[in-house]
Amino acid sequence: MSGIVGSGHNIRGSGVIAKLGTDGQVFTSAGAGVSATFEDAAGGGFTQTSAIATTSGTNHTFTSIPSGTNIIYLLLNDVSINNNDDDFLITIGDSGGLETSGYNEFNGRINAGGLNTWTKQTAAWHISVKAIAYGVSGFCQIVRGDANGLIWHFSAMSTINLTGAGEDGSCAFSSFSTGVKTLSAELDRVDIKGDAGSTFDRGSMTLLYI
């Protein structure tokens, strides 16, 4: 009867006794001559926040991002603002608050005719929308620049759908953005808002981090 996990019998006649674990645990060996045991499985997956409805308000902030986070995704689902000729602004911050300067960034839009428009910004990272009530679906990626540093790299790709078309509607153009920002302390928050105080009026968003 040797080799039966959790049976109380020897494993392969080694004299090492296996013990029962609990639901979700994995059977782990610590090496020759040491009792094998059940342990909690190691973590490693992304944490996802609850979705935020972007149907009102001038900005939305995700807070309490834990120290040691290295990769963050801000996911946009048909998010719209009510001002024409406007952008989405993404800022990050630490315990001292959101930072509104020192962003090195390039953003633009592409349609069937090629590069439609582009800008350079320093007050925030941008998603170029430039049309009232267009729905933005896509993601922003924020990645730590080195293992223990405070440098954060940014990239974003989004589809901009025609007014009222929804997330599966006709795509008017695509928006792209890249940039970098150095904080003075550990990142713990990410914020998105419309330029010039515009108001969100459709869609939702969520945050993934690891």
Side-chain angles (χ1 to χ4, degrees):
M1 298 277 303
S2 65
I4 301 175
V5 175
S7 67
H9 294 274
N10 291 353
I11 303 301
R12 298 186 182 276
S14 64
V16 179
I17 303 301
K19 296 181 180 180
L20 291 173
T22 58
D23 184 37
Q25 289 189 315
V26 294
F27 192 60
T28 305
S29 172
V34 180
S35 295
T37 186
F38 284 90
E39 296 179 348
D40 293 335
F46 279 87
T47 297
Q48 184 169 18
T49 67
S50 299
I52 292 178
T54 50
T55 53
S56 63
T58 58
N59 79 294
H60 295 281
T61 306
F62 292 92
T63 59
S64 302
I65 298 171
S67 177
T69 294
N70 291 311
I71 302 173
I72 299 167
Y73 285 99
L74 175 62
L75 308 177
L76 307 178
N77 178 30
D78 197 32
V79 178
S80 171
I81 49 179
N82 67 352
N83 276 355
N84 200 12
D85 196 28
D86 212 346
D87 289 340
F88 292 167
L89 278 60
I90 296 94
T91 54
I92 58 176
D94 49 41
S95 58
L98 294 166
E99 298 200 7
T100 56
S101 63
Y103 292 82
N104 183 359
E105 185 239 29
F106 178 93
N107 72 80
R109 291 183 293 140
I110 299 173
N111 60 16
L115 184 62
N116 182 259
T117 186
W118 63 272
T119 60
K120 293 181 178 180
Q121 304 288 343
T122 59
W125 293 318
H126 285 59
I127 296 176
S128 179
V129 184
K130 301 296 185 185
I132 191 167
Y134 274 31
V136 179
S137 296
F139 69 91
C140 305
Q141 178 179 254
I142 305 169
V143 180
R144 191 189 295 271
D146 56 52
N148 300 304
L150 302 175
I151 300 172
W152 292 89
H153 296 276
F154 174 86
S155 64
M157 290 295 295
S158 303
T159 57
I160 315 298
N161 293 323
L162 295 174
T163 305
E167 62 179 355
D168 298 321
S170 176
C171 180
F173 49 84
S174 292
S175 175
F176 67 90
S177 179
T178 61
V180 65
K181 164 69 177 166
T182 301
L183 294 177
S184 56
E186 187 74 0
L187 182 152
D188 69 356
R189 65 198 70 192
V190 174
D191 180 83
I192 182 170
K193 67 178 182 179
D195 201 0
S198 54
T199 301
F200 289 97
D201 58 13
R202 190 172 77 241
S204 64
M205 63 182 178
T206 187
L207 202 74
L208 290 170
Y209 59 84
I210 189 171

